[in-house]
Amino acid sequence: MQSGDLQTSPRTVLVLGGARSGKSRFAEASAIESGLARHYIATGRAFDDEMRTRIAKHKEDRAGDGWTTHEEPLDLIGSITAANAADRVLLVDCLTLWITNLMMESHDIDAAGDALADMLGSVKGRLILVSNEVGLGIVPENRMAREFRDHAGRLHQKIAAKADEVYFIAAGLPLKMKG
C-alpha cells in the first residue's frame, strides 16, 4: 500500500487478544504490509528480569527490519502526536501496559482513555493499537486487579467505537470484529 491509499484503507486498527495469542505478530505484519515507514511505540517498563527479557525479545524481533522505536510508558498521546505523519504507520504495543503505568503513577485513567479516543481522528497515517483482552476470565480476587480489568474494558470499548477495524486474535488466528 502506498500513502495515497490511505483514503480507502483503515486509519485506526485495534488488535485485541490474550497473552501469547499472536496479537503483536499480527499487528507487526499488518504494519509491514502497509508499505509505510514503521514506528513502534512501546509502553512497557522493565520492572523485573522477566519483563526485561520480554522487552529484549520484542526489540530483537524488530531489529534491522526498518522499525523506528519510541519508548513511552506514560505520555502515549504525546508520542503518537510527535510521530504522526501521513507516510507512517504507528504501532502501539500495548494499551494494557500503558494502563498499568498510569495506575502505578495515580493518573486519571478514564480521562487519559477519553483523550486517546478523542485524538484518533487526528492521525494522518495509520495507527495500530495492540491490547490484551483481560475481561474473559474469572473475576480477579483483589481490588487493584478488578480496577485494572475494568479500566481495560472501558478503554477497549472507547477505542473500538472509533477504530476503523477491530481484530480479536486467538491461537494466532485473527477474527475481524469490525470494518
Side-chain angles (χ1 to χ4, degrees):
M1 171 175 52
Q2 301 302 313
S3 60
D5 296 332
L6 286 170
Q7 305 307 325
T8 58
S9 69
R11 286 191 183 269
T12 303
V13 179
L14 175 61
V15 180
L16 298 168
R20 297 289 182 247
S21 64
K23 62 192 172 298
S24 292
R25 187 172 357 107
F26 175 83
E28 289 173 10
S30 297
I32 291 168
E33 289 172 12
S34 76
L36 301 171
R38 298 185 302 276
H39 287 253
Y40 190 98
I41 302 173
T43 62
R45 284 179 164 170
F47 287 116
D48 57 30
D49 288 340
E50 187 268 340
M51 193 61 178
R52 277 188 277 284
T53 301
R54 283 178 183 254
I55 290 171
K57 173 70 171 123
H58 271 281
K59 286 180 178 179
E60 179 183 312
D61 289 346
R62 292 185 316 276
D65 199 18
W67 290 95
T68 299
T69 300
H70 312 265
E71 295 183 11
E72 183 48 63
L74 295 170
D75 187 13
L76 180 56
I77 295 168
S79 190
I80 291 169
T81 301
N84 190 9
D87 63 344
R88 293 179 179 173
V89 57
L90 311 178
L91 192 162
V92 174
D93 198 352
C94 79
L95 294 179
T96 43
L97 288 175
W98 179 59
I99 291 169
T100 299
N101 297 334
L102 294 174
M103 287 180 75
M104 305 264 306
E105 302 283 335
S106 299
H107 286 258
D108 183 337
I109 292 117
D110 287 329
D114 289 342
L116 178 61
D118 289 344
M119 67 87 56
L120 296 180
S122 68
V123 174
K124 297 173 185 168
R126 188 164 192 203
L127 177 63
I128 303 171
L129 301 158
V130 176
S131 198
N132 292 290
E133 178 51 65
V134 296
L136 298 174
I138 61 172
V139 175
E141 67 175 51
N142 66 74
R143 180 180 177 185
M144 184 176 185
R146 286 188 299 274
E147 288 175 356
F148 171 78
R149 177 208 53 199
D150 294 348
H151 286 306
R154 285 190 298 272
L155 178 63
H156 294 162
Q157 290 180 57
K158 291 172 190 176
I159 301 301
K162 296 201 174 186
D164 299 304
E165 289 184 351
V166 178
Y167 291 89
F168 183 80
I169 312 298
L173 301 172
L175 171 64
K176 191 172 189 178
M177 301 175 70
K178 179 181 178 183

